[in-house]
Amino acid sequence: MESISDIHVLRETRRDWQMQNKVIGFVPTMGNLHNGHLQLVREAKAQCDIVVVSIFVNPMQFGANEDLDAYPRTLEADKEKLATLNVDVVFTPTISQMYPRGLEQQTFVEVPGISSMICGASRPGHFRGVATIVCKLFNMVQPNKAFFGQKDFQQLRVIKLMVQDLSMNLEVYGVPTEREVDGLAMSSRNGYLNAEQRCLAPQLYKVMTALKKEIEEGRRQDYPALSQEYCSKLDAAGFKTDYVEIRNASTLQQPSVEDSELVILIAAFVGKTRLIDNIQVQR
Ligand code: PAF
């Protein structure tokens, strides 16, 4: 596995692959890799000739009240995991290469509408930061295919819309969420949980699947009331719930009673750790 941090070196390497007509797969990450990330890599390996994984903790997607400095950085362990999966290149650009004029002066990409709802309402500017960095990484790696986790459901929608709106020449794939045996969605943030919080965390999945069942059974279609009820259930279980949303799975707008493809999106704090999860529902 080659480790590249210089954009020019990456571009030269990429030129060789292009001359050999290789299909290039790309998995962007912020490091601290867990099995969810590795599943994205496995999917990329299955579909592509060459796989590039980037590791870059992107300051632009962190809010002022979110602790960028505390974000776990585990580069050597991450590289070992990627090497065992025969990743071709791990790309680790520096902050000054990514944002040479500083964050304030940086041209940005913003996908309107979807970026300011749900998680975007709780984390203003977050999806602008994600869209901007992913756009820059796409321009550097120029992949044929890029792989993202469905766990970040809204992020995946934002990226797919960006690719469509900006006529980018690549396919974006959403890979199903990897879960621990007790149902907790794999996330770098799980590492922040103490033993007691770790015991509580899987309740998020249990409550979410109970809500899914209730919607699928079709007995109740008053989605705002259902959301409110399940927010209260999570609060009663010990979470500080940010939102429980039932949305149209493709637009993420409030669903009408005719909509059949829905998604439940949940964000809730366990102590100071904000966990998110989602599940698709067919009515
Ligand atoms: O999902 C993530 O880890 C990040 O949001 C991403 C897509 C790597 C952009 O920084």
Side-chain angles (χ1 to χ4, degrees):
M1 183 177 77
E2 201 177 344
S3 189
I4 299 180
S5 52
D6 187 288
I7 294 163
H8 304 100
V9 176
L10 178 73
R11 289 211 160 115
E12 272 166 35
T13 311
R14 200 212 166 276
R15 210 170 306 133
D16 294 342
W17 296 330
Q18 191 169 15
M19 290 207 300
Q20 299 163 44
N21 277 329
K22 301 280 191 198
V23 174
I24 301 166
F26 178 44
V27 181
T29 80
M30 298 208 298
N32 194 227
L33 303 180
H34 51 69
N35 203 35
H37 296 109
L38 302 184
Q39 200 52 33
L40 304 183
V41 174
R42 288 184 199 106
E43 189 58 42
K45 288 291 293 180
Q47 291 197 36
C48 307
D49 302 318
I50 298 285
V51 173
V52 179
V53 177
S54 65
I55 297 179
F56 179 70
V57 181
N58 173 32
M60 200 179 181
Q61 68 190 74
F62 284 77
N65 57 340
E66 296 172 353
D67 201 351
L68 168 66
D69 294 335
Y71 195 86
R73 286 148 172 100
T74 52
L75 187 58
E76 287 317 310
D78 291 346
K79 282 184 178 174
E80 274 172 33
K81 290 177 186 166
L82 296 175
T84 54
L85 292 182
N86 294 323
V87 162
D88 297 274
V89 166
V90 57
F91 178 47
T92 56
T94 59
I95 299 265
S96 57
Q97 276 191 318
M98 291 311 254
Y99 297 117
R101 296 194 301 135
L103 281 182
E104 295 305 315
Q105 299 299 314
Q106 174 64 43
T107 301
F108 58 80
V109 178
E110 181 145 338
V111 183
I114 195 160
S115 295
S116 49
M117 60 169 74
I118 321 175
C119 254
S122 305
R123 304 181 68 191
H126 170 69
F127 288 118
R128 173 194 288 188
V130 170
T132 302
I133 197 68
V134 172
C135 176
K136 284 171 68 71
L137 288 165
F138 282 175
N139 283 335
M140 291 169 187
V141 178
Q142 295 179 45
N144 303 100
K145 302 182 181 201
F147 298 83
F148 294 84
Q150 285 175 2
K151 158 141 189 309
D152 296 302
F153 195 86
Q154 190 175 359
Q155 167 172 286
L156 180 61
R157 295 300 313 152
V158 167
I159 289 161
K160 283 192 167 175
L161 284 174
M162 173 185 79
V163 165
Q164 184 184 311
D165 286 357
L166 299 181
S167 311
M168 292 175 165
N169 189 18
L170 78 156
E171 288 169 71
V172 173
Y173 293 86
V175 177
T177 303
E178 285 290 302
R179 297 186 180 279
E180 304 289 354
V181 280
D182 55 14
L184 178 65
M186 290 191 187
S187 164
S188 301
R189 292 183 179 200
N190 296 350
Y192 295 141
L193 302 173
N194 65 28
E196 195 187 330
Q197 294 167 339
R198 179 62 188 79
C199 278
L200 172 63
Q203 288 301 321
L204 199 66
Y205 181 64
K206 292 209 173 71
V207 170
M208 188 171 72
T209 45
L211 174 54
K212 173 180 157 93
K213 189 162 176 279
E214 193 156 352
I215 298 171
E216 279 173 348
E217 286 170 356
R219 281 179 286 119
R220 293 175 53 191
Q221 295 185 358
D222 181 353
Y223 297 136
L226 264 177
S227 297
Q228 196 47 55
E229 189 179 311
Y230 277 79
C231 259
S232 305
K233 283 189 186 186
L234 283 172
D235 286 344
F239 293 89
K240 192 168 174 302
T241 311
D242 185 357
Y243 59 74
V244 173
E245 293 283 350
I246 303 161
R247 296 286 176 122
N248 175 301
S250 73
T251 62
L252 296 193
Q253 298 289 345
Q254 301 284 355
S256 69
V257 277
E258 290 89 48
D259 285 351
S260 57
E261 305 285 329
L262 305 178
V263 59
I264 300 167
L265 301 142
I266 296 186
F269 285 89
V270 185
K272 288 191 172 147
T273 305
R274 187 172 180 275
L275 300 178
I276 60 169
D277 205 346
N278 68 79
I279 198 162
Q280 284 177 259
V281 186
Q282 283 189 325
R283 288 206 51 245

